[in-house]
Amino acid sequence: MGLLKRIAQKAAQSDAHESFAAERGLTYEAIGDLPEVTPLLRAAEAKNFSSVMRGKLGDTIQGYAAMMSHSEPDDNVSRDDSDIQMIFDQVVLAGAPESASFIPKLTVSCRNRLQPLVADERLREIKTESETLTRRHRVWIGPETDEGNVRELLSPVMLEWLAGLDLPNFAFELDAGWFSAWSTPSVYIPFVRPGKPEELATLMDTADSLVRRIVAEVAEE
């Protein structure tokens, strides 16, 4: 795919996301930064996200929805060719202050991709009761996080709900009262993936449902 075609494709993607943001009453920036408040965003340095939307993302959460872009070299072209392949991660960030004391630090990561976010030596992995979830995800907690509280949050009903999500490589974090979630294609299969508004909408709706469940669980304590 030529460079000019990629530029046109990127412009069309931006137009689609800007229209999507307007329909939902969200502010829109073609390129913007996000607060570096979770391991995901600190690892990404939260810079130069595309299609950054801000406002009420669902019934429960207010925050940010954005795309992270990564460049991968195209094996079918020469090294000096400026054409590249783009892989887009969809990201949602929202405040969840109710969770700060109940679960200070939790990462539910994907098994089928690299895990730079759990390189923190303070994190330790725990097992869940769901074999289906275990095949798709790994659960990590910080030293200040009570494992019992995590197991209360990850109840059989919650585990079944997470295991049944139809999102590729969905993962999420709770960190000091902040919630972030993302969905991304596998890092082992680089391909051209223009971000679609409906994909971001699915992640936003899923994040909203998850935060609602987290808030309800904390309220019962």
Side-chain angles (χ1 to χ4, degrees):
M1 184 181 294
L3 180 59
L4 292 178
K5 187 172 183 179
R6 285 189 187 282
I7 293 173
Q9 189 179 63
K10 178 66 175 176
Q13 173 203 314
S14 296
D15 290 343
H17 276 97
E18 185 171 11
S19 297
F20 171 78
E23 291 171 1
R24 292 207 168 198
L26 303 172
T27 62
Y28 175 85
E29 295 177 87
I31 299 293
D33 301 336
L34 298 184
E36 297 180 27
V37 292
T38 70
L40 168 71
L41 297 175
R42 287 191 289 271
E45 297 182 347
K47 304 296 183 184
N48 296 323
F49 284 76
S50 62
S51 295
V52 178
M53 306 174 198
R54 184 171 66 250
K56 189 173 183 180
L57 306 182
D59 294 336
T60 302
I61 61 175
Q62 295 201 33
Y64 301 82
M67 308 290 288
M68 296 169 61
S69 61
H70 302 277
S71 301
E72 294 288 342
D74 192 331
D75 292 335
N76 297 319
V77 297
S78 61
R79 290 282 183 176
D80 57 355
D81 196 310
S82 60
D83 199 10
I84 56 175
Q85 291 182 312
M86 302 301 292
I87 299 175
F88 293 96
D89 293 338
Q90 299 154 123
V91 183
V92 167
L93 170 68
E98 301 90 343
S99 69
S101 59
F102 186 62
I103 299 180
K105 186 181 291 289
L106 167 69
T107 296
V108 178
S109 64
C110 308
R111 282 193 177 275
N112 59 341
R113 66 167 297 169
L114 299 178
Q115 298 301 329
L117 305 182
V118 296
D120 188 335
E121 294 181 356
R122 298 175 303 162
L123 297 179
R124 65 184 179 91
E125 186 175 5
I126 65 172
K127 304 298 182 181
T128 72
E129 298 177 0
S130 169
E131 293 184 4
T132 303
L133 185 74
T134 298
R135 285 195 296 269
R136 296 178 56 180
H137 295 87
R138 302 173 73 179
V139 179
W140 307 80
I141 64 174
E144 69 276 32
T145 301
D146 186 289
E147 185 173 335
N149 289 348
V150 174
R151 295 195 180 282
E152 287 185 29
L153 174 65
L154 299 179
S155 64
V157 173
M158 174 74 88
L159 290 172
E160 182 178 357
W161 181 79
L162 286 171
L165 289 177
D166 187 23
L167 279 173
N169 299 326
F170 175 78
F172 72 92
E173 297 172 323
L174 285 171
D175 193 274
W178 286 94
F179 169 89
S180 60
W182 64 100
S183 179
T184 172
S186 171
V187 296
Y188 301 114
I189 312 176
F191 59 94
V192 178
R193 180 185 173 84
K196 298 179 181 179
E198 57 268 28
E199 294 177 329
L200 192 57
T202 298
L203 180 61
M204 290 163 60
D205 293 342
T206 301
D208 189 75
S209 296
L210 184 51
V211 171
R212 188 164 57 247
R213 288 168 178 263
I214 291 169
V215 171
E217 183 64 40
V218 172
E220 293 179 1
E221 295 306 309

